[in-house]
Amino acid sequence: MGTLSVRGDVLVVPPFECAWLKLDKPGEGCFTFLAKAENDVTLIFSSNAEGKRVCGTRRNSEFYTVIIGSHVNSRLVLERSGKIVHEVAGVRASPTKFTQYWVDYQTGRVSVGVGAKPGFNCLSQWQDPEPYMSIACLGLSAWDKHVCYSGLRLMGRLCFAPQSRRGSEEWQQPRAGQVASLQMLSARRLSECLTPANCLSVLAVAEDLRATPLVRTTLDYLSSHLVEVVGASGHELFSLSTRSLADVLSRDKLSLVSEYWAFLSVLLTWQGQGGGTAEDLWEFIRWPLMSSSELERVEALPCYAGSARLRRLVAEARRTHSTKGDPKKTRRYQNVLITAARGIELRDQESAKLARSRLQPRRSPSARELLYVSDGDNNGVCFYLGTRRGEASSSRARSQFVNPSLTGVVEASTSSPHSRFSSAAAVTSRLCPRTSYFDPRYNEETKRKEAWWQVDLRRSLTCNHYSLRHDASNEGFLRSWELRGSEDGEVGRALGCWFRPDFSADFSPPSHSSSRGPRSGPTVTTRPS
């Protein structure tokens, strides 16, 4: 089934596993989180952490269980020591997108709600007449399918009774008999009319009025359209506050030309217009993502010689470049960087977090993220393209999935011509047909015969994981293969390989093999041998 794993900012919990958190104060606490699953988002309030494996019978009988999407994703269930005590029909988990939930526990009273604001949009509340007094831990678990958790936040108890009223958290509707304020109506209208030309002006007004919802909405827009905003109203960059600019540059999803562009066209321009001191924001630039030529141009700038902080950041980037291609050196350097972030130069936890984030590539706000959960899941690029870009419900995936090679969304080719034994479309079919045999061809580059198949995705792809399924018999399994990626379909580079020199018949490989790789282009080629 797999083990607990963290992928970026997402915790993936396999079936029957559990990740435990300790409540700040025994007997009470409020927990907010994002979850995505086909069913059974499971939270367990218990007196102690009972291990990663969740068993049907527990030694400790004092526990409460909250299950969102129970009974084939049809209802919310609350259990006391494994027995159902409360149900709410119609509460379902989402398999395609993260949903925000909150759960509050106060000495036997369990409240569950949806949304980012604890206490509002309450779905259910139940009071145990004989509450357990020793609850001290919270477990994040799953039943028969993987569950993805993100945005975990554990806080103190709610100071007021949860309310079941629904509505927008950002722009709440006025109650009966009340009139919406002019500021509320104006902020709502401005958020609907944001453009690259007026974005900075709206943000300045929102910060002056302390309209927090409008500030958040405008910063989200600015992050998604930073290139267009700089092009349309770059002369107004000085109006950005240091706090707002730091918020934008710290985001993983950000519209950028490059990190060098962010440093030169955003930070230095902002400083030149009188916006503030750019040196305080240099930590937010991801210097290791710059090329060697871009770092040389930074070193040629007048500000480089006069700033010890900038010289340290550039040296950090160059050291990262020197460890590329050597996983041991890369891990060792990351450990050194994190240690330094906790030491003299970077004293607080926020700086340590920045030091780690500088090693991570940013994601385009317009890109669709396909999160790898497990081998054979419905999150891969082929399934995404074969279900009208993920619109198909996972519960009806088999009936709604159409092979993207047959519809022309992708183009598959192999080393063998089409025959009753060879069909290129079989590569993306999600099945194991008998028409998947490909004859080897002589490769001038390697001077040997190789069989291969190739899929032209016709779109750019940042590939960080792949799963390869093959025959598990003693004769039909793959002994070795190489994964290549190419931007133009002609010139490719190796992204990952696996080689087993022992071809003895007693070797039994797994039917699924998976690995991780760096960025690839629109064409992915696998060469088994």
Side-chain angles (χ1 to χ4, degrees), residues 446-475:
T446 61
K447 305 300 181 182
R448 64 177 182 176
K449 288 186 177 181
E450 295 177 337
W452 56 267
W453 54 262
Q454 176 176 291
V455 179
D456 186 353
L457 299 174
R458 296 177 175 173
R459 51 187 46 79
S460 60
L461 171 69
T462 300
C463 178
N464 60 5
H465 211 109
Y466 75 94
S467 293
L468 180 64
R469 182 176 180 177
H470 53 91
D471 193 352
S473 67
N474 288 334
E475 297 180 355

Side-chain angles (χ1 to χ4, degrees), residues 14-15 61 67 99-100 110 119 124 153 169 229 310 326 329 343 353 376 430-431 455 493:
S61 60
I67 308 176
T99 305
Q100 181 91 48
V110 182
S124 175
R153 186 184 176 194
E169 298 172 12
V229 170
L310 183 56
D326 190 334
K329 288 184 178 180
K353 181 180 178 181
R430 291 177 61 86
L431 300 173
V455 179
R493 64 188 180 96

